[in-house]
Amino acid sequence: MRIGFFFRPANPCGWRDAYVADLVEAAAVLGHVPVVFAMAEDAAELPSKTVETHVYAPPRLLPAALRLRLFHNWLVKEAPRHALDITIGFGAGGLPDILVMRSVEESRLLAVCEHALPFDQIVISLEKEACAKASRVIALSPRIREELIATYGVPPERIRVVRPPFQKPAACSLTRRELRDKYGVPQDRTVFLFPSFDVKGNGFDFLKRYFTSNPHDFMLLAAGRPVPGNRFIKSVPRLENMSDLYRLADYTILAAPYDPVGTIAWESAACGTPVVATENIGEPEELPEDVCRTYSPLEINSLGLLMDDLAKNPLSPASQSRIPHERDEHTLQAHLQTLLIANS
């Protein structure tokens, strides 16, 4: 089967991930012919040179929303020319048969207390049009489903929740002490791992305000590109498999004001590391209370009160066997097949 992928790795939240590229490779493994449509600046993100690709290059000096509008217009004309059996899109851009929603632009703006400006309205209108035209809308979390119903008026019966797989932790024979020695992390500090430093809009500056002079001598371990270090903040390279860093930390901390999928929380809990996250990340209530604590996004006092409580009543390492979630059994191939079945 020839499957068209509308490749848009830069989603409205501003972050990039390998989700779409991995699905393309999963399609090839299953014997399908993936046909990728992408903007020129995303060419480096394409999964393989052997995949059939079609690239559009809108003028670089245009604002991102206008470039997306031009990309959308091109997709509407170009995709039907390639004898595709089915098309899969990811948010705004094109009119796919299966629309996979990882975020909702109107909800994102509400979460960060911003009004929709004219360029924002372009993205919102493209998402609404795609939702209306798709034969099936896939929400990657229950929260996204509720947002689609409330903000875009998508009929509930047209939405199916399909959770994405998350990275299962690799086996590790090293103890926490040995892992800290390996990565140069102090043994006597309470460490909060921040695994999303390279992500735009991830809340790092917000966390930096707290950790730079926090009263409990907590350490923020930022995984990604280097940051100026001090006693309270240390950077380490982001690993392809993050399980080592999850296991050496006392907590994983997430600060994005809007991330309705929240896969990182499950990855951390699966490694036995409790999670501290904003209320707008994923579905924190699905994790056991002794595994995840939340605070209000953008409110430094809310974070401070939670940290005061953790200093007095620290969370114990999570029991990996207590993470009741079907995603840990899913492969990318199985996930793709679920998306395709959802359209039948």
Side-chain angles (χ1 to χ4, degrees), residues 218-278:
F218 292 157
M219 170 175 279
L220 180 66
L221 187 66
R225 54 190 171 89
V227 298
N230 55 41
R231 176 170 175 77
F232 301 103
I233 300 175
K234 176 182 174 60
S235 62
V236 292
R238 183 174 177 84
L239 307 180
E240 183 174 345
N241 189 312
M242 291 286 290
S243 58
D244 276 5
L245 298 185
Y246 289 130
R247 288 184 172 117
L248 69 79
D250 296 281
Y251 302 93
T252 294
I253 187 165
L254 306 172
Y258 177 73
D259 175 10
V261 179
T263 303
I264 289 177
W266 288 98
E267 291 179 359
S268 176
C271 290
T273 304
V275 180
V276 176
T278 63

Side-chain angles (χ1 to χ4, degrees), residues 79-226:
R81 299 173 179 171
H82 297 276
L84 303 171
D85 296 295
I86 197 166
T87 56
I88 304 177
F90 305 86
L95 299 175
D97 300 309
I98 302 173
L99 176 65
V100 180
M101 295 295 290
R102 299 181 289 180
S103 64
V104 179
E105 179 66 1
E106 192 166 309
S107 298
R108 183 191 70 82
L109 293 170
L110 288 172
V112 298
C113 302
E114 293 181 3
H115 296 290
L117 299 176
F119 287 150
D120 299 318
Q121 292 290 357
I122 291 175
V123 179
I124 291 171
S125 66
L126 291 177
E127 287 187 349
K128 286 183 176 179
E129 185 179 7
C131 286
K133 298 294 179 63
S135 56
R136 177 68 67 179
V137 178
I138 304 297
L140 292 187
S141 78
R143 175 171 290 181
I144 296 174
R145 178 182 185 274
E146 296 308 311
E147 290 176 356
L148 289 169
I149 294 170
T151 60
Y152 292 171
V154 182
E157 64 273 13
R158 294 190 57 244
I159 307 172
R160 177 172 175 181
V161 176
V162 179
R163 301 178 185 275
F166 69 88
Q167 189 172 24
K168 298 177 68 174
C172 180
S173 60
L174 301 180
T175 65
R176 174 179 287 185
R177 175 170 291 275
E178 291 170 330
L179 286 170
R180 289 197 176 191
D181 284 341
K182 179 179 178 179
Y183 294 99
V185 177
Q187 299 288 350
D188 59 346
R189 306 284 295 282
T190 299
V191 174
F192 289 76
L193 172 67
F194 183 60
S196 309
F197 184 71
D198 289 322
V199 176
K200 180 181 178 182
N202 57 13
F204 175 77
D205 290 339
F206 173 77
L207 292 180
K208 183 179 178 181
R209 286 173 54 199
Y210 175 81
F211 279 91
T212 297
S213 59
N214 75 87
H216 307 295
D217 202 29
F218 292 157
M219 170 175 279
L220 180 66
L221 187 66
R225 54 190 171 89

